[in-house]
Amino acid sequence: MSQFAPVEVTVYPDDCDSYGHLNQGAFARLFERARWDVLSRGAGRASLEHHNVWPALRKATIEFKAQVYPGDRLRFDLALREHGRTSMTFRQTARRMGSDTEVLVAEGEFVMVCIDTEGRQAAVPQEVVQALTLRASRRTGATQYFTVGDVTLAVDAIGDGGAVLFIHGFPLDRTMWKQVAGTLTGWRRIMPDLRGAGLSEAPEGGYTMAAYADDMVALLEKLHVDRAVVCGLSMGGYVAFELLRRHPDRVRALILANTRAEPDDSAGREKRDQTIARVHRDGVAFLADDMMPRLLASESLKAMPDLVEQLREMIRAGRPPGIAGALAAMRDRPDSAPLLSSISVPTLVLAGAEDQLIPPATARAMADAIPGAQLAMVPHAGHLAPMEQPVNTGRFIAEFLNALP
Ligand code: MLT
């Protein structure tokens, strides 16, 4: 069964009947809103519209288990139980969220059948099943959800100890850190999906480096973390610089992995605009083939088919608003080079010896410009050192973390 990011709603007084409980008709509408929320995000809705079909409800079974009142916060979880040629069966649950308890208040099963504009049964487009299944496969056992400002972010948090915030690159998600984080016992490892990525919400707008950085700080607050070691890869590094600029007191130390301080030049900005236009026109799948040869070292491309497949799946699970938003945020990011000489926290610059996007010389120059920074060059790694060489990368990071004052 495939599980999706939950949807949270507050019960309004006008959802309730004269006895003051959530009315069953209004409850059914909330179930529908939560289903719509999942279907309307990302490739699912675009493909349905492209094929001129829409899923109509054929059968609904809801079992109400407890009373719900105005002001209650409900969390709706949805899972795709099975699908046939024209139908999809979803299981949904609604839980009342207390400060430390959750109560199952209703559960239901909903059979949806795809129909065309004439109301005839039609095949569920393959991309829809694929998009729903891919999004669900991005969940891990440790995933939690936190609403910060206008978005809900998905976060994997494991272990206890000093906090390390891992920020992923583009067009990836938090799971890129999984293997490296697994080696760093003794640390509280926090791996969020940035807004628009992975299982986090992907609003239509609001993507800037400042928004990403503010989201991260709001998330640290939710997790009661005052200061964290901030470890960002590539675009995650751009976010780390912004965090340092906007919230320096939150940064205990920095790990700048496969990243650069300089902004895009005019050719780079033009390329971002072209890619944004293509994402709006064709969706995100083309990025997998487009970027793969530059993301991995040629050795990894040949010898690591599982990694190539994992990356392909991760990239194709992206949603156009989040991907286009990240491209715009990178295009407009400020120059962080003037910041380097004033960095006063311990810093590790991590580079891939075969990185084509951030050549080793760029990483070396950045390390030289940061007072006291260490440089670690990961052999046999391209732009994604933590995924291509997790053991070596984890060892460099562990040595740096364990030497922190
Ligand atoms: C990344 O890996 O995050 C991107 O390649 C960064 C970029 O496009 O500047």
Side-chain angles (χ1 to χ4, degrees):
M1 186 149 67
S2 308
Q3 184 90 29
F4 303 97
V7 175
E8 290 177 15
V9 296
T10 301
V11 176
Y12 295 144
D14 62 5
D15 290 326
C16 299
D17 57 24
S18 53
Y19 297 102
H21 326 126
L22 178 58
N23 169 270
Q24 50 81 21
F27 215 145
R29 221 170 47 233
L30 293 184
F31 270 115
E32 183 182 11
R33 196 188 302 166
R35 274 197 313 278
W36 159 258
D37 195 274
V38 169
L39 278 171
S40 67
R41 275 185 269 158
R45 179 180 176 187
S47 314
L48 288 164
E49 279 171 3
H50 178 74
H51 290 270
N52 254 324
V53 294
W54 190 248
L57 184 64
R58 159 165 283 179
K59 185 172 163 200
T61 323
I62 304 179
E63 197 177 331
F64 299 100
K65 292 176 176 289
Q67 313 273 21
V68 176
Y69 299 99
D72 282 350
R73 286 285 295 157
L74 298 184
R75 194 188 79 204
F76 287 85
D77 282 286
L78 179 143
L80 178 62
R81 264 200 52 206
E82 56 188 21
H83 65 87
R85 199 183 74 81
T86 59
S87 69
M88 294 180 280
T89 303
F90 293 101
R91 179 171 185 274
Q92 283 184 273
T93 53
R95 289 187 165 75
R96 183 175 35 234
M97 293 150 57
S99 47
D100 37 38
T101 52
E102 284 186 1
V103 178
L104 180 69
V105 291
E107 60 188 337
E109 195 166 283
F110 302 86
V111 182
M112 316 286 297
V113 175
C114 258
I115 52 170
D116 63 18
T117 45
E118 252 94 73
R120 290 181 302 235
Q121 248 171 263
V124 183
Q126 262 317 301
E127 308 95 273
V128 172
V129 174
Q130 203 175 26
L132 294 177
T133 317
L134 277 178
R135 258 186 275 155
S137 73
R138 319 273 358 114
R139 243 175 109 89
T140 72
T143 309
Q144 304 170 56
Y145 295 87
F146 294 92
T147 300
V148 295
D150 61 336
V151 284
T152 299
L153 301 181
V155 184
D156 287 354
I158 51 171
D160 292 312
V164 187
L165 176 68
F166 290 93
I167 311 177
H168 61 80
F170 170 89
L172 309 177
D173 65 37
R174 70 195 190 293
T175 59
M176 63 149 287
W177 289 111
K178 195 171 167 208
Q179 270 178 289
V180 160
T183 67
L184 300 170
T185 46
W187 293 87
R188 184 174 180 197
R189 288 141 279 164
I190 302 167
M191 293 160 279
D193 280 331
L194 291 170
R195 62 167 60 214
L199 292 178
S200 288
E201 264 177 354
E204 283 304 318
Y207 298 90
T208 59
M209 285 303 149
Y212 288 135
D214 291 353
D215 288 348
M216 294 299 99
V217 167
L219 175 66
L220 291 179
E221 243 155 54
K222 290 255 165 172
L223 295 169
H224 308 291
V225 173
D226 287 337
R227 291 176 88 217
V229 178
V230 178
C231 172
L233 180 131
S234 200
M235 183 177 95
Y238 311 157
V239 179
F241 283 129
E242 195 64 27
L243 234 155
L244 197 60
R245 234 186 320 266
R246 296 171 74 80
H247 310 278
D249 48 330
R250 298 289 189 165
V251 183
R252 176 177 172 197
L254 266 180
I255 303 173
L256 299 168
N258 305 80
T259 195
R260 67 167 82 240
E262 297 75 26
D264 284 0
D265 58 16
S266 60
R269 286 198 293 274
E270 205 169 301
K271 178 88 189 4
R272 302 273 194 212
D273 285 335
Q274 288 162 4
T275 314
I276 292 171
R278 179 142 186 221
V279 167
H280 288 313
R281 196 180 65 231
D282 300 337
V284 302
F286 77 92
L287 282 172
D289 287 337
D290 207 53
M291 294 189 67
M292 197 67 74
R294 284 169 295 136
L295 288 177
L296 299 179
S298 54
E299 223 177 308
S300 316
L301 271 173
K302 278 194 221 109
M304 306 175 91
D306 289 352
L307 173 61
V308 173
E309 203 35 55
Q310 183 192 354
L311 269 176
R312 196 176 288 286
E313 184 180 305
M314 200 185 293
I315 295 172
R316 288 176 52 215
R319 287 148 298 161
I323 296 294
L327 286 160
M330 290 192 286
R331 176 196 63 201
D332 300 336
R333 74 186 188 277
D335 187 0
S336 295
L339 189 70
L340 300 182
S341 62
S342 65
I343 294 180
S344 57
V345 292
T347 300
L348 170 68
V349 173
L350 200 79
E354 316 292 332
D355 191 341
Q356 300 165 58
L357 291 170
I358 313 285
T362 304
R364 194 167 293 120
M366 185 166 76
D368 286 347
I370 303 173
Q374 300 170 36
L375 174 70
M377 190 65 68
V378 185
H380 311 291
H383 190 56
L384 301 181
M387 299 184 83
E388 299 174 76
Q389 297 294 332
V391 175
N392 271 338
T393 307
R395 191 165 46 80
F396 282 129
I397 294 180
E399 277 167 15
F400 173 73
L401 291 177
N402 295 334
L404 285 177

